Every structure is written in C-alpha cells, then in structure tokens.
Amino acid sequence: MDEINEGSSQVECDILVIGGGTAGPMAAYKAKRKNPNAKVILLEKANVKRSGAISMGMDGLNNAVIPGHSTPEQYVKEITIANDGICDQKPVLKYAERCFDIIQELDKFGIRFLKDENGEYDVKKVHHIGTYVLPMPNGDTVKKSLYRQLRSAKILISNRYMATRLLKGNDGRIAGAIAVNTRNAEFLIIRAKSVILSMGAAGRLGMPTSGYLYGTYENAANSGDGYAMAYHSGAALANLECYQINPLIKDYNGPACAYVAGPFGGYTANNEGMRFIECDYWSGQMMQEFYNELQSGKGPVFLKLNHLADETISEIENTLHTVERPTRGLFQKNRKNDYRDGMIEMHISEIGFCSGHSASGVFVDDNAKTTIPGLYAAGDMASVPHNYMLGAFTNGAIAGEDAVNYIKEVDLADIDEFEIEAEKERVLAPTKRNDGIPPNQIEFKTRRLVNDYLQPPKVTKKMLLAQERLAEVRNVMENEMLVTNAHELMRSLEVSSIMDCADMAAHASLHRTESRWGLYHNRADFPKKDDENWFCHTLLSKNNKGQMVSQKQDVEPYIIPINDDEKEAYDNQRIQTFKK
C-alpha cells in the first residue's frame, strides 16, 4: 500500500498556489485570467475537486456586503469592534469593497444565492450591527462550479502533492517550495517567482470532546501546514493567541448554525429555555458569555427552535441537513432529536487558528502580501479578521491579481540544493526506522496536551508546563516516529505542523499579558484588558538563530473612525435580565 519511493523531479512556474480549497483556486483563476501567458500551478495534498473547508459545500455567506443592505464602511466598523479594536482596517475595507463583485461572479459560475420575489439578494441579519448573511440554497455545488472554472482557465493542477517547506533565495525573496507525493512519496521541487499560501486553518490543534482525531469543527485535512510553512520561512504571523473557538452541536463536528437558524427565529438558550445573549454572531465576547453560561447552574446551552412553526423548521432542516454537512440530519435522527419537540444541546469546539473565525493568521497587507517578498497568503490562514468563505474567495482574488504584477519585475530566485537535500532527509527520517511510534499516537498526545494546558481560561503556569511537555513529545516525534507507507508519511508531516502550531499557541499566549477577544484570549492571571500596553498586534516569527520570537506591531491608524460609545458594543451582549 502506497509504497515509498525516493524519486525527485523539478518544475518551474511563474506563480505557485498551495492549497486547493477556497482561496487557492480563486487566486489561481484570477492570476491566469489577468495574465493568460503566466504559468500558474495549483498544488493540493488531496484532490481539488473535493478539498478544503468547502469540500461538501456551504450553506451561506456570513459576511456579504451588498449595496442597499450595508456599506463597506459599516462592515469595517463592525469587524473592528468585534475584534476588540486590534484591526488594520485597510485590508478589511478592500475586502468589503470587492466582495460584491465576487458574489456576482460566483453567481455567474452557477453558485446560487437566496433571492426575494423581486430577484434581489435576500440578505439576513445575524451580526450585532449590520446585515450581511446571504443563504445559499444550492451551496453543495460550490466546489463543482469552482472546479469547472479552473478547467476552463487551463490551470495546471497537481493533486496529491503535499508542500512541506518554502524555498527562499539568497536575497530573501521567495523561490518556490518542496512537496512530496502523498501516494508514493516522490519529491517535487517547484521553482516559482511568487507563491500564494492558501492552506486553510489549523483545525487539528485541540482535541474535540468526542475524542476523535478527525472529528473536528474545521475540515480535518486542515492541520496547520500553511502556518508551519510560513513560520519556518521566517514570515510573521499575527495574533496567534486569538484562538478560534466556536459553538457547535454537542458530539457532532459541525457548527450550531446560528447563521442559518437565527434569521428564522432560532437562538441560543440556557437550560431554562431562555435567551441570554443578544447576538449569535461568533465573536470572542459572545463565546465568553456562552462559556460562562455553560459553567453556571443554567448550563448546558441549547439551540432552541421548538417555538417556531413547523414549516419554518422544515425550511431550516432543508438547509442544515442537505448542504454543508448532510450527516447532521442522520445524527439528530439517531439521537432521537426533533427540532420541533425539544432543544438541541450545544457545546464549545476545540481550539484552533483561523482568521476566518477570529484573527490568527499569517500577517498580510491589503494586497495579501506577507513580510517575505513574493510570498502571499489568503483565506483562513491569512490575518484579515473574520474572513469566512467569501473573504477567502475575495482575498484569494486579490492575492492572485497582485502576484501577477509582482512577477513582471522579477526572475526566478536561486535555490539552495543543500537546503533541499536537508528537507528530504527530514521528511523521510521516519521511513528509515525499523521500529517506533506511529504518527496518530504522537498526534493524540500532542493535542491532549493542548487541551490540558492551552485551552482558555489560560493560566501562565499551565502554559509553561505545556512548553516543557511539548518539547518532550517533539523529541519523540523527531527521533522515534515510524512511518511504513506514503499515507502515513503525510500524516507524520501533518503531526509536525500540529506540533509547530501548538508551540506557537503557547508562545503567543504567554507573550500577551492581558485578556482580550473574550474567550479567545482569556488569561486567568491577567483578567483585564490593557489598552495602554497591549493595544497592538503581536507578531510571531522565527529569527535567524532558529528561535521563536514575538514583538509588538502598531495597529494602523483607522480609516473608519470608531466612536467611544461604539467600542464596547460586543462587550455588552448579555441580555439585561441575565446581567449580574
């Protein structure tokens, strides 16, 4: 099965896009459309036809800025407030100004959005301030429609190749990447003038309460590989202490879907059936209230739909049970849960990195450029906060178009053959052993430590212990991990990425000595927000000595001003009767 070969080949291109989920295909598509003569390669460790967070489809757009319903300025204000003010507004504004064009383009691709009787987009309100949610009745067709466009544009697609490290030239700019085939372990060296990282969230950082390694809120294939590659290349990563934590259906690896149920009248309730938060938009502050209610005598927390009319519930079921996660209906049936009869128990997801739902990602500007010349990042792994699927499409487009401009001015950078050989040796090391520990056991241990020591509320001593324990497991991973086939080799590389992300989570969380973003960075021994010292980004990177370091970065001056009476809007979501 998947025998290990040690062959190697090399190719050259203008733009290499790594990650075939949402942002990656759009980046490749837009780059090729802008310059049909550019050689664009799209690399994916699975198969682009069915990969990434949208592999099964999506039930709606969470952040659609549509004329007549909201304005770009209003959206920027909302995201800035939801993100506790730590927001460079320029990338958010650029997204907000571009996303309606992307919606219309997706519509032309055949991806349908809910429209009213007048043929206008039927946008729903879920957020605290604005109206941005646009349901997708045939959201299961997203990936198919996107793939047709890639084929039409004649994008070069390399499936089953997992990128392991980025290559840089002597002048510090990007030079390409090294990848390994997930079916036969053959290496592919790709020289490129520009690289776009679009490899999704770090979704396998924490362990779900179900105990299943792949029973995660995020697509389990998104193991933080892009975060790890960016780190080892020396790129800066922003605000990694701002974890992704989401509400979900208890024991089911899927969201509670307030974005679907909320516009129809569903809401989050405590065990008395009472609503306790005003807004079900997933902010860190909302998650803190959710956590507080879980820990109180009024937990567990539930999704309440049983007060709605039968036809309304049927409409909700038609979306929840057929589009993004079709197994949801089967799960509820086996649990003997009927939305009409009782409430559905909810819980809190495992922790992860994902700017799509929080703000933890590779640091980028408004053109998706990272701190390394020629390297871009887009989608869930880039630092534009609360990005979601439409943000991935839009910022992927921005990255692809800007990369075309960049490659006009540069040639291929020289690559270091010694660096390539060293990476091959690292990747294949687990295959050279006759005995050892399989990747899944090391992954389980790593992620259990994440849950035990890094999950909020964060405690300094526990995080220091996490660093010690993770170092012990890393030593085992690097010296005792055993791989017997190419599939296990892929898993071993994912484990290495998970380990890197765990180390970054601990380091970043220790660095910011305050609490911010509600539950996402709730430090028990630093319980207050400290704007005087910490109203800033924190940038984590790997220095020239190979050490993990963090530094402060000023928040760019606001383009859209925030009034003093607006700044705390997301801190005051508990319904008045529940305030203590």
Side-chain angles (χ1 to χ4, degrees):
M1 169 183 166
D2 294 348
E3 292 184 1
I4 293 174
N5 300 322
E6 295 191 20
S8 180
S9 57
Q10 182 170 305
V11 297
E12 296 179 357
C13 65
D14 294 303
I15 299 172
L16 169 63
V17 182
I18 306 176
T22 308
M26 184 59 85
Y29 174 79
K30 285 293 191 178
K32 192 68 174 177
R33 286 298 187 200
K34 185 169 183 177
N35 181 0
N37 295 320
K39 185 176 182 181
V40 181
I41 294 178
L42 178 59
L43 195 76
E44 166 59 43
K45 71 177 178 182
N47 190 305
V48 173
K49 286 183 179 180
R50 184 77 81 171
S51 61
I54 62 168
S55 59
M56 293 295 289
M58 193 60 66
D59 46 34
L61 301 178
N62 300 340
N63 53 341
V65 183
I66 295 179
H69 296 276
S70 57
T71 66
E73 292 76 15
Q74 181 187 44
Y75 179 79
V76 171
K77 180 176 286 192
E78 176 119 37
I79 296 305
T80 303
I81 296 169
N83 210 49
D84 252 344
I86 310 300
C87 177
D88 286 351
Q89 291 185 340
K90 199 172 179 182
V92 181
L93 180 60
K94 190 166 191 176
Y95 157 78
E97 292 173 338
R98 285 284 310 267
C99 70
F100 184 57
D101 290 339
I102 296 295
I103 292 171
Q104 293 176 304
E105 189 165 17
L106 294 174
D107 210 334
K108 292 176 182 177
F109 288 176
I111 301 168
R112 300 297 176 223
F113 303 99
L114 188 65
K115 296 181 180 178
D116 61 22
E117 61 274 10
N118 297 317
E120 301 295 331
Y121 292 116
D122 192 2
V123 190
K124 309 292 186 181
K125 182 174 175 58
V126 174
H127 293 64
H128 196 56
I129 301 173
T131 303
Y132 312 106
V133 175
L134 181 59
M136 298 168 61
N138 74 332
D140 56 318
T141 66
V142 174
K143 201 67 180 180
K144 296 173 186 175
S145 300
L146 192 58
Y147 187 74
R148 284 196 297 269
Q149 300 305 315
L150 295 175
R151 300 300 295 175
S152 174
K154 296 181 170 55
I155 304 295
L156 298 172
I157 298 173
S158 293
N159 291 316
R160 307 295 178 187
Y161 273 98
M162 180 179 183
T164 66
R165 285 289 188 267
L166 294 169
L167 296 170
K168 289 166 62 179
N170 293 331
D171 57 359
R173 61 189 173 93
I174 205 68
I178 305 172
V180 64
N181 191 288
T182 60
R183 291 294 174 84
N184 60 25
E186 291 183 355
F187 285 93
L188 179 63
I189 315 303
I190 308 164
R191 298 185 66 192
K193 296 177 181 178
S194 178
V195 175
I196 301 173
L197 294 177
S198 52
M199 301 168 73
R204 291 208 329 256
L205 182 53
M207 183 77 77
T209 54
S210 67
Y212 297 122
L213 284 179
Y214 308 119
T216 52
Y217 176 91
E218 287 289 343
N219 182 345
N222 295 343
S223 48
D225 306 325
Y227 286 81
M229 287 178 63
Y231 168 72
H232 286 291
S233 74
L237 297 99
N239 307 317
L240 297 185
E241 65 275 17
C242 182
Y243 295 164
Q244 173 194 18
I245 307 172
N246 292 332
L248 44 65
I249 301 301
K250 181 73 163 63
D251 300 324
Y252 179 78
N253 60 323
C257 281
Y259 289 104
V260 175
F264 292 97
Y267 57 83
T268 305
N270 60 24
N271 66 20
E272 297 175 350
M274 300 296 292
R275 186 169 193 167
F276 59 93
I277 46 177
E278 295 176 350
C279 172
D280 285 322
Y281 173 59
W282 302 339
S283 64
Q285 297 89 335
M286 175 268 191
M287 287 307 304
Q288 184 65 59
E289 296 293 355
F290 191 110
Y291 175 84
N292 292 344
E293 202 73 3
L294 273 179
Q295 303 304 312
S296 75
K298 295 181 180 178
V301 169
F302 298 87
L303 174 63
K304 182 170 171 43
L305 303 175
N306 59 349
H307 59 290
L308 301 176
D310 184 77
E311 58 268 26
T312 302
I313 293 176
S314 295
E315 191 171 353
I316 293 171
E317 286 176 329
N318 187 53
T319 300
L320 290 185
H321 297 176
T322 60
V323 181
E324 184 180 345
R325 285 174 168 87
T327 56
R328 185 191 299 270
L330 182 62
F331 173 82
Q332 301 293 10
K333 180 180 179 181
N334 289 338
R335 276 278 171 97
K336 296 181 172 56
N337 287 333
D338 189 320
Y339 299 143
R340 297 158 184 80
D341 298 333
M343 300 188 297
I344 308 301
E345 186 180 358
M346 297 166 64
H347 202 63
I348 287 178
S349 74
E350 65 283 352
I351 68 171
F353 294 152
C354 176
S355 68
H357 294 90
S358 64
S360 44
V362 178
F363 190 60
V364 296
D365 67 8
D366 60 311
N367 288 315
K369 293 179 179 178
T370 72
T371 54
I372 293 178
L375 179 64
Y376 295 77
D380 280 348
M381 64 166 292
S383 64
V384 185
H386 301 264
N387 220 349
Y388 302 105
M389 180 181 72
L390 184 55
F393 276 130
T394 305
N395 290 310
I398 290 168
E401 290 167 352
D402 199 81
V404 169
N405 295 333
Y406 175 82
I407 63 172
K408 294 176 184 176
E409 309 298 329
V410 298
D411 294 319
L412 291 169
D414 293 332
I415 57 176
D416 186 339
E417 293 295 337
F418 177 80
E419 182 182 356
I420 292 171
E421 291 306 313
E423 176 60 6
K424 288 180 180 179
E425 185 176 346
R426 181 189 76 87
V427 169
L428 292 176
T431 71
K432 306 298 184 183
R433 301 181 182 111
N434 296 320
D435 192 19
I437 301 172
N440 65 326
Q441 292 187 23
I442 295 175
E443 178 176 347
F444 180 86
K445 183 67 174 287
T446 302
R447 293 170 64 189
R448 186 182 66 79
L449 290 173
V450 168
N451 278 23
D452 287 349
Y453 295 108
L454 299 182
Q455 219 164 231
K458 303 175 184 179
V459 178
T460 298
K461 183 60 178 178
K462 289 175 69 174
M463 292 189 288
L464 291 171
L465 283 170
Q467 290 181 319
E468 293 179 17
R469 303 287 183 265
L470 289 168
E472 294 167 359
V473 180
R474 180 179 288 277
N475 183 60
V476 173
M477 179 187 75
E478 292 177 349
N479 295 287
E480 299 181 44
M481 186 160 57
L482 175 69
V483 160
T484 59
N485 57 60
H487 181 76
E488 280 190 346
L489 183 63
M490 177 186 71
R491 294 297 185 212
S492 74
L493 293 166
E494 291 177 337
V495 171
S496 179
S497 296
I498 293 167
M499 177 67 72
D500 287 336
C501 289
D503 281 337
M504 288 189 279
H507 187 279
S509 293
L510 283 165
H511 182 67
R512 185 183 284 272
T513 53
E514 65 157 355
S515 287
R516 190 173 290 272
W517 302 297
L519 186 62
Y520 298 164
H521 185 62
N522 179 341
R523 287 199 67 170
D525 38 2
F526 295 95
K528 301 295 184 182
K529 193 185 300 182
D530 180 5
D531 280 344
E532 182 178 351
N533 295 297
W534 289 104
F535 192 82
C536 62
H537 300 290
T538 58
L539 300 187
L540 180 149
S541 61
K542 183 178 181 179
N543 67 17
N544 293 333
K545 297 179 180 179
Q547 299 167 325
M548 189 176 291
V549 294
S550 286
Q551 64 185 48
K552 295 180 179 181
Q553 170 92 1
D554 289 342
V555 175
E556 290 291 320
Y558 288 167
I559 305 169
I560 311 299
I562 309 296
N563 298 328
D564 288 341
D565 61 348
E566 297 173 312
K567 292 178 181 178
E568 306 299 321
Y570 272 81
D571 288 327
N572 299 299
Q573 296 194 66
R574 180 163 283 268
I575 290 177
Q576 190 66 38
T577 55
F578 286 93
K579 290 181 179 178
K580 296 179 181 179

